[in-house]
Amino acid sequence: MQRYSLCGDWMLRQDSSKELLKGHLPGSTYLDLMVNGKLEDPFWGMNEERSKEVAHHDYEYSREFELTGEFLQAPHIELVASGLDTLATLLMNGQLIGEADNINRTWRFDVKPYLKEGLNSIQILLKNPFPYVEAKQAQKPLQGMDKKAAANGHLRKTPCHFGWDWGPSLPPAGLIGDLRLESYEVRIDQVHILQHHEEGKVRLEVTASLMGDTVDALAASCRITTPEGNSDTYPAELQAGKIYCNITVQDPKLWWCNGLGEQPLYTLEILAGEQDSCTKTIGLRTIQLNTSPDEWGNQFRFEVNGVAIFAKGANWIPTDSFVTRTSYETLEFYISSAKRANMNMLRVWGGGYYESDAFYELCDRYGILVWQDFVFACNSYPFYDAKFLENVHQEVIDNVSRLRHHASLALWSGNNENELFRTFWKKGSEIYESNMNFYHKILPKWVTELDGVTPYWPGSPSSGSLEYKTHDMNRGDTHLWQIWHGMLPIEAFRRYPTRFCSEFGMESMPSMHTIRSFTDQMDLKLFDPVMQLHQKSVGGNEKMLFYLLAKYRNPKHFEDFIYLSQLVQSDTIRFASERWRRGMGRHNGALYWQFNDCWPVASWASIDYGKQYKALQYHARHFNKLLCISNDYYDDRVDLYIINEYPTEFKGELRWRLLTFDGTLVSEGTVLAAVGQSSARNIVTLPFSDILKGHRKEKVLLQTELTQQGSSLDEKTYLLVPDRKAALPKPQLSFDYKAMGQILRITVSSKVYARYVYLEREGITDPWSDNFFDLLPGREKTVEVKLPAGMAAEDAVKGLKFKSLADVEPKNSLLMDRWLRFSMRFKKINLLTWIIFKILL
């Protein structure tokens, strides 16, 4: 096998223009137009609106390349293109070689008849997608909430390219994957690795298809390399154009999701003589989705190596509106951030992509399970059309075959919210029957044939059967948007005993660092046009203010609004996650919406587009700990729980102390804490009447600590009243610092209690080891951060800024805040969504 990459420099032409511009593939029209100075950054200011016009054109990418006679000698030469975006016509040396119409596929074109020794040329013609979908919609309309958006279901292009409630409408054209020529006599295709776990060993059943000539004469083999680097080679059999090999791994090192163990990885090489080879990295593990009947309905619980887990994590969207500029380093930043936040699962949302190989490899390495949606979202699709269905079938073959070996792959899910959208379709209609039949019958059959191991679920949300309603608290997974879209209070999460919540969320503002990436406007305000444009959830800024005013006063300064909005978001996700984790066994997962952003925007993300951690990302590390303290909030008492996700019983001590804000001890106690495996337990209830000892609850804090044999395992601090009612003193924070190479270590202290201490320094963009933390009176807190190249520690501390909750100045009177909150419910679409979720849902 010889490969010739066609990635790199290309030439770009718009429509029939005579002007040729420098282009690059993988890449997109938007990126190349920016590089050539033909387009201002669509993310800057108000540019998005005028940048939309770019997508309404045809484009041509072209280049020349040279081939040797040796390369042309092989009997088979194919052009391999993955991620052509999207309506593409391909020509080689001026002759048509094929067409493509699905960004999610890997296309192969026989090009041997069209190539020559020496100089060759290739052209990729990319059609404007809008006339195509409009014509299809006029011919046979698809149905959805929005007819214009529904039309996009006719085209296998990334759904969120056309905009979403967190992303811009900037549909690119180009290539998101690889483009190469392959010259071969025989090549390996469709590698499938089945694991059979037996006592003390794992047997690997390896099969691979061979494409090409003289297949039966090959001496095929498989080589496995252990995590320690020891290798063994096994002979393989050849039968009917396929390689078969059985490998037994003695004393296997099992792969575990983050928190439960290590992630040892084995390397498996499949060798087709000297003709071709293929390498797969695998982890030895079992994965199951338990949906058996129980006392509430049906379970929905993932089990890794037979151990039941509580899935903690978030929803993953494309990392960029122009995804080819996402580097491996950026992907690793995100996946390592998930691990750091004690997550064990990411849901790859169905309105984006089947992610890159690098994404899944990183999830394998960091122990992050992947819930993988098929790319269908919030729409109906023409599955009644045989040609469309076959196109989708090839897409499924390509992606299931590519991803099925990954240790991190935990679930194939049919779609995002399409079952919810069936309410817009008439039952018995062609659209209704073909769509439901696809997710519940056709697609699971394909997945079973291609994978046979990874669990399948009809969609998200789904009860698993059309016999039950889609949002069923007793079975399946749910998307709970009553809090946010329905504008119910955060505490309303108590009403929803879901088996598994795969979407819930609260918006917050991005960091000031990220805001400055799209505007230099001074004296920013929440409802300025530039801030409204960088908010894609209709009525979103009003909803943020609505929820902020339920917890805090309306701040005087814009940067304080950013700070408070992030605290509201963090508290919302913590409250819901802990509510469900306290009921492990009945409740088995909490994946918040969303983990990341594709552009600088106010959204539900916990890491903004500028790769800045919000308060939620910092706090998740603490409330997601496998063993931790949890408090169920009430007006007259504290209920302290211990959450234990480990598959072993925990025994230790829970110590609590009630302190005034200057550190004076009011009352204290220590109780034994025993919690069974993979469960949670209420350890102690502290009635306010017993612990306050005459003190006002607005002027005290509860400090808790979980210990075992003298070692501190978790600490949490709680107020007895909502933050806005607490009589917090204004702290005078002091700090020392120490430089260790490029690492800056800051030690902060305060004589009085400081709530949600936030550190920032302009120019420092790496995440701190901790932030938005509580500082107890007389205690020190040490945090670290990596300094950017060229910044000395002495200069860094000069610009260091500290903020605590007590430093935030209110803008209005309490009466004005109440009126403002009331009025937010009646802005734009907010009243409508409130009515829908209040009455209909």
Side-chain angles (χ1 to χ4, degrees):
M1 167 76 77
Q2 294 186 66
R3 293 177 176 86
Y4 186 102
S5 175
L6 291 171
C7 297
D9 294 335
W10 286 64
M11 300 305 293
L12 172 65
R13 186 197 314 271
Q14 186 182 85
D15 296 324
S16 57
S17 171
K18 294 181 180 180
E19 184 181 16
L20 283 176
L21 305 173
K22 290 182 178 180
H24 191 279
L25 293 179
S28 73
T29 48
Y30 278 93
L31 295 177
D32 289 333
L33 290 172
M34 281 189 276
V35 168
N36 282 277
K38 300 293 184 179
L39 178 70
E40 294 182 6
D41 182 358
F43 294 176
W44 178 260
M46 305 296 290
N47 285 350
E48 183 210 345
E49 286 302 313
R50 53 179 170 266
S51 299
K52 291 179 179 180
E53 185 267 344
V54 168
H56 293 265
H57 292 275
D58 296 337
Y59 291 90
E60 175 193 313
Y61 278 96
S62 61
R63 66 163 289 176
E64 294 179 333
F65 59 96
E66 290 197 18
L67 295 177
T68 64
E70 179 188 0
F71 188 88
L72 296 171
Q73 285 177 1
H76 304 283
I77 305 177
E78 294 176 337
L79 175 69
V80 185
S82 57
L84 280 169
D85 187 9
T86 293
L87 293 170
T89 301
L90 296 94
L91 295 92
M92 192 73 74
N93 291 323
Q95 298 182 73
L96 176 67
I97 59 170
E99 295 180 329
D101 59 358
N102 189 334
I103 190 176
N104 304 309
R105 285 181 59 181
T106 295
W107 298 86
R108 285 185 170 270
F109 304 99
D110 178 11
V111 293
K112 185 173 175 63
Y114 309 102
L115 295 172
K116 59 185 179 179
E117 185 174 355
L119 193 64
N120 291 264
S121 66
I122 182 173
Q123 295 165 277
I124 303 176
L125 311 179
L126 298 167
K127 297 292 290 184
N128 174 357
F130 291 99
Y132 176 89
V133 297
E134 290 164 4
K136 286 284 187 180
Q137 185 72 348
Q139 181 183 4
K140 198 163 188 178
L142 294 172
Q143 298 172 6
M145 281 197 306
D146 181 282
K147 287 186 177 180
K148 186 176 180 181
N152 300 328
H154 289 288
L155 181 62
R156 297 306 295 144
K157 180 172 172 63
T158 306
C160 66
H161 280 179
F162 297 98
W164 220 264
D165 56 3
W166 37 258
S169 178
L170 299 168
L175 179 81
I176 64 168
D178 192 19
L179 189 65
R180 65 186 184 274
L181 292 169
E182 290 187 352
S183 170
Y184 65 91
E185 186 174 330
V186 174
R187 68 175 175 87
I188 296 173
D189 191 31
Q190 295 292 326
V191 174
H192 198 184
I193 306 163
L194 293 175
Q195 300 182 18
H196 303 278
H197 287 247
E198 302 160 5
E199 189 173 345
K201 60 184 178 182
V202 174
R203 182 169 56 85
L204 302 178
E205 183 183 337
V206 183
T207 61
S209 299
L210 293 174
M211 311 299 290
D213 305 325
T214 62
V215 168
D216 295 333
L218 290 174
S221 61
C222 292
R223 181 165 54 233
I224 189 165
T225 303
T226 68
E228 296 80 16
N230 301 316
S231 296
D232 286 302
T233 301
Y234 296 79
E237 295 182 5
L238 289 174
Q239 294 180 19
K242 287 189 175 182
I243 292 175
Y244 295 91
C245 187
N246 283 290
I247 299 171
T248 298
V249 180
Q250 301 288 350
D251 299 320
K253 293 176 173 57
L254 297 185
W255 184 97
W256 293 92
C257 62
N258 182 34
L260 291 182
E262 299 301 316
Q263 294 79 45
L265 296 171
Y266 291 75
T267 302
L268 182 63
E269 296 174 88
I270 300 94
L271 304 158
E274 296 181 357
Q275 294 290 332
D276 195 13
S277 64
C278 179
T279 301
K280 301 289 185 183
T281 301
I282 62 172
L284 304 180
R285 60 94 178 104
T286 62
I287 185 77
Q288 291 179 309
L289 177 61
N290 181 358
T291 58
S292 61
D294 64 8
E295 61 185 295
W296 298 285
N298 288 84
Q299 265 288 9
F300 195 94
R301 194 173 197 180
F302 289 95
E303 297 174 359
V304 178
N305 298 323
V307 175
I309 69 166
F310 188 98
K312 302 169 299 184
N315 285 260
W316 174 274
I317 67 166
T319 50
D320 202 303
S321 293
F322 314 121
V323 72
T324 56
R325 62 181 172 184
T326 298
S327 66
Y328 181 89
E329 290 72 24
T330 293
L331 280 177
E332 186 167 23
F333 166 82
Y334 284 122
I335 305 305
S336 63
S337 293
K339 180 181 176 74
R340 178 177 171 181
N342 286 310
M343 295 179 178
N344 58 19
M345 180 175 282
L346 290 173
R347 173 181 172 233
V348 178
W349 170 72
Y353 302 99
Y354 304 96
E355 269 296 339
S356 66
D357 292 336
F359 172 86
Y360 302 97
E361 289 163 5
L362 286 165
C363 288
D364 291 345
R365 180 145 60 90
Y366 284 99
I368 305 300
L369 295 169
V370 176
W371 168 316
Q372 178 66 57
D373 280 3
F374 285 95
V375 179
F376 305 99
C378 300
N379 211 343
S380 58
Y381 291 86
F383 296 121
Y384 47 76
D385 182 287
K387 184 179 177 181
F388 182 89
L389 186 63
E390 178 55 28
N391 194 355
V392 169
H393 190 191
Q394 294 303 316
E395 168 187 326
V396 171
I397 291 171
D398 285 351
N399 288 286
V400 174
S401 301
R402 178 172 66 95
L403 303 178
R404 61 193 173 191
H405 70 282
H406 283 286
S408 56
L409 184 63
L411 184 71
W412 294 108
S413 175
N415 64 78
N416 173 75
E417 296 186 350
N418 290 3
E419 274 195 34
L420 286 178
F421 278 74
R422 64 181 166 142
T423 57
F424 298 99
W425 315 330
K426 184 179 179 181
K427 192 171 183 179
S429 67
E430 189 176 42
I431 284 180
Y432 183 98
E433 297 300 329
S434 65
N435 277 256
M436 293 304 100
N437 186 58
F438 178 75
Y439 301 121
H440 286 266
K441 294 181 180 180
I442 296 174
L443 186 53
K445 181 175 180 291
W446 291 348
V447 171
T448 299
E449 291 170 350
L450 292 164
D451 186 324
V453 174
T454 309
Y456 173 85
W457 195 244
S460 184
S462 177
S463 60
S465 170
L466 296 177
E467 295 178 10
Y468 302 104
K469 61 182 180 180
T470 299
H471 267 136
D472 191 325
M473 293 296 129
N474 296 317
R475 51 186 56 82
D477 72 309
T478 57
H479 292 184
L480 296 178
W481 287 107
Q482 289 83 348
I483 294 84
W484 180 258
H485 289 302
M487 302 186 78
L488 294 185
I490 293 167
E491 293 74 18
F493 278 114
R494 284 197 178 103
R495 306 178 199 171
Y496 301 105
T498 177
R499 307 313 300 265
F500 192 111
C501 191
S502 47
E503 277 192 27
F504 66 106
M506 177 64 61
E507 272 201 1
S508 69
M509 297 294 289
S511 66
M512 202 65 207
H513 166 81
T514 298
I515 289 173
R516 284 300 175 215
S517 74
F518 67 80
T519 182
D520 55 8
Q521 178 182 324
M522 304 305 292
D523 192 26
L524 282 166
K525 295 180 176 59
L526 184 62
F527 299 108
D528 287 345
V530 71
M531 298 309 301
Q532 291 283 59
L533 183 69
H534 288 78
Q535 162 64 270
K536 293 304 179 183
S537 178
V538 179
N541 285 358
E542 290 87 351
K543 284 190 176 80
M544 267 196 292
L545 183 56
F546 173 84
Y547 279 104
L548 184 147
L549 291 172
K551 299 294 180 182
Y552 302 107
R553 301 288 303 279
N554 190 24
K556 181 178 181 180
H557 303 292
F558 181 75
E559 292 194 26
D560 287 341
F561 186 92
I562 296 172
Y563 170 77
L564 293 180
S565 75
Q566 293 189 12
L567 292 177
V568 173
Q569 178 192 37
S570 176
D571 190 53
T572 301
I573 304 306
R574 182 207 54 76
F575 183 91
S577 297
E578 289 191 4
R579 178 260 184 272
W580 294 318
R581 289 178 72 205
R582 289 193 296 265
M584 277 190 295
R586 182 178 185 181
H587 319 303
N588 301 307
L591 307 181
Y592 65 76
W593 187 270
Q594 66 206 59
F595 188 56
N596 57 308
D597 275 326
C598 69
W599 79 312
V601 64
S603 79
W604 299 272
S606 59
I607 305 177
D608 70 27
Y609 180 72
K611 296 196 286 189
Q612 301 301 291
Y613 282 14
K614 297 183 183 181
L616 170 55
Q617 189 65 27
Y618 284 108
H619 288 170
R621 179 166 169 256
H622 301 288
F623 67 69
N624 274 341
K625 290 175 71 173
L626 274 78
L627 181 69
C628 66
I629 304 165
S630 175
N631 171 28
D632 198 0
Y633 289 83
Y634 293 98
D635 293 334
D636 61 347
R637 68 188 189 277
V638 174
D639 283 349
L640 291 176
Y641 287 73
I642 301 301
I643 296 170
N644 175 28
E645 291 185 38
Y646 288 103
T648 54
E649 184 184 18
F650 170 79
K651 289 184 179 180
E653 291 185 336
L654 176 63
R655 181 188 181 195
W656 61 269
R657 296 191 305 155
L658 194 70
L659 306 171
T660 63
F661 291 146
D662 65 2
T664 302
L665 180 66
V666 176
S667 56
E668 64 180 337
T670 300
V671 294
L672 295 176
V675 189
Q677 64 180 22
S678 303
S679 63
R681 183 181 167 213
N682 180 201
I683 300 300
V684 64
T685 296
L686 304 175
F688 291 173
S689 58
D690 292 347
I691 64 174
L692 280 170
K693 310 295 184 184
H695 288 262
R696 290 177 55 195
K697 61 183 179 179
E698 295 85 0
K699 293 189 175 183
V700 294
L701 64 93
L702 183 70
Q703 190 260 333
T704 65
E705 184 178 18
L706 183 64
T707 63
Q708 187 179 57
Q709 297 178 350
S711 297
S712 179
L713 303 176
D714 190 36
E715 287 189 59
K716 294 286 187 353
T717 303
Y718 304 104
L719 297 179
L720 304 190
V721 296
D723 284 345
R724 66 176 179 176
K725 293 184 179 181
L728 294 171
K730 196 165 184 177
Q732 296 294 322
L733 298 173
S734 58
F735 73 94
D736 291 321
Y737 75 94
K738 182 179 180 181
M740 299 173 293
Q742 283 300 108
I743 301 299
L744 176 65
R745 177 176 289 178
I746 301 289
T747 300
V748 193
S749 60
S750 173
K751 293 181 180 179
V752 297
Y753 175 58
R755 181 80 161 161
Y756 297 135
V757 176
Y758 173 60
L759 286 73
E760 66 174 336
R761 204 285 190 191
E762 186 176 352
I764 294 178
T765 56
D766 274 28
W768 294 77
S769 59
D770 202 3
N771 219 335
F772 296 93
F773 52 82
D774 284 3
L775 193 57
L776 293 174
R779 292 269 296 267
E780 293 182 342
K781 171 79 173 184
T782 298
V783 294
E784 296 179 353
V785 70
K786 182 180 179 181
L787 294 175
M791 182 181 287
E794 295 78 10
D795 295 328
V797 296
K798 289 178 184 176
L800 198 60
K801 296 179 182 178
F802 295 85
K803 181 185 297 183
S804 75
L805 188 57
D807 297 317
V808 177
E809 297 180 59
K811 180 180 181 180
N812 305 315
S813 66
L814 276 170
L815 182 62
M816 177 60 73
D817 280 356
R818 289 170 183 161
W819 166 251
L820 188 59
R821 184 169 189 266
F822 176 80
S823 68
M824 290 301 102
R825 192 189 297 278
F826 298 95
K827 293 287 187 177
K828 294 183 179 179
I829 201 172
N830 292 344
L831 178 60
L832 176 61
T833 58
W834 176 70
I835 292 171
I836 290 172
F837 281 88
K838 181 82 171 177
I839 298 175
L840 300 181
L841 299 178

